[in-house]
Amino acid sequence: MCASYGLDPRFTDAELLAEADEAVLEGLRSWAEANAGETLRPTGKNLRNLNPLVTASEGVPTLEPAWWGYLVDGAPARFPSINTRSERLQDRPGGLRNRAIVPTTGWFELQKPDRVWHEFGFGRGVLFGMAAVTQRGRTPDGEWTTCYSIVMRPAPPNLAALHDRVPMLVPVGFAADWLTGEPTRDLIDEALLAAASLDERLVAEPRADDRGDGMLF
């Protein structure tokens, strides 16, 4: 399960969109700087953070703030909703109707039973994207917002000893397909193949906790 991730404003290598959208990248950097390097966590009863999300507005990548986890009847869902299994989307591709990309510079997982934190990614300074599915929800304050759930898939062999699942990453060349493709079983199958092409590049670094490298605090 992915329950926390980072967005370091010092990113220099952006592997998010095939055609670098300067407005999106600058918006991400500004947001991350204002966030002061804080780890991004699910939105909920006490933590009302809205995290940056890349969606497609009329086919054009757009940055918008979004609630991590689903809202049902004006309250956080009572079922687990911050993550969605890729297998579920294969069985029920209707869940693919609305999709987004979550920008990050690394996600965190706790290795059990050793209880050692690791940060996963492509190395310091690399911005990349995690696949997400979205839906609209009404907040406890009565406002409508976009809600997102990060798509998780089985971990590749080189990372399985640390955690059994990883976010389904979106390669640069597949970003447009993920944001605008038809919501079918073929799309999720192609997305899984695209994500697997990045497996050998993924690295995991031990951390004291899930607060990142401590350089921004």
Side-chain angles (χ1 to χ4, degrees):
M1 179 179 75
C2 176
S4 59
Y5 61 95
L7 185 55
D8 190 333
R10 299 167 298 180
F11 65 81
T12 54
D13 298 321
E15 300 194 15
L16 194 65
L17 303 168
E19 295 182 3
D21 186 316
E22 292 303 323
V24 169
L25 296 181
E26 189 56 36
L28 282 173
R29 199 182 302 277
S30 296
W31 188 95
E33 288 173 348
N35 189 51
E38 289 289 340
T39 299
L40 284 71
R41 305 183 188 280
T43 319
K45 180 179 179 181
N46 298 316
L47 192 63
R48 295 297 179 87
N49 56 295
L50 295 180
N51 302 327
L53 199 66
V54 177
T55 59
S57 176
E58 298 183 354
V60 178
T62 303
L63 197 63
E64 68 170 296
W67 183 293
W68 185 6
Y70 289 154
L71 288 159
V72 179
D73 296 329
R78 295 186 178 183
F79 57 87
S81 65
I82 64 170
N83 298 147
T84 296
R85 287 176 174 260
S86 58
E87 298 92 328
R88 179 181 178 84
L89 295 173
Q90 287 177 307
D91 292 338
R92 302 177 183 178
L96 292 165
R97 282 191 298 272
N98 299 295
R99 302 175 302 279
I101 295 175
V102 180
T104 183
T105 49
W107 78 92
F108 303 96
E109 296 287 6
L110 182 64
Q111 181 188 15
K112 299 178 180 179
D114 298 334
R115 299 192 63 78
V116 175
W117 283 100
H118 286 81
E119 182 178 6
F120 296 76
F122 298 124
R124 183 172 296 173
V126 179
L127 176 73
F128 59 96
M130 301 183 288
V133 287
T134 70
Q135 63 183 40
R136 296 288 288 174
R138 182 168 51 83
T139 72
D141 299 325
E143 300 291 331
W144 286 92
T145 188
T146 296
C147 305
Y148 69 99
S149 179
I150 296 174
V151 180
M152 302 292 289
R153 68 180 183 96
N158 57 318
L159 299 177
L162 300 178
H163 204 271
D164 62 339
R165 301 190 75 82
V166 297
M168 189 176 74
L169 305 187
V170 183
V172 173
F174 195 75
D177 299 84
W178 178 251
L179 290 175
T180 63
E182 291 296 319
T184 64
R185 169 66 184 263
D186 287 343
L187 178 65
I188 188 67
D189 288 346
E190 291 169 4
L192 286 165
L193 287 173
S197 71
L198 300 173
D199 288 348
E200 294 303 317
R201 292 183 53 204
L202 280 170
V203 294
E205 297 289 340
R207 299 294 187 210
D209 49 39
D210 67 342
R211 294 179 179 274
D213 61 16
M215 295 180 67
L216 297 179
F217 298 91

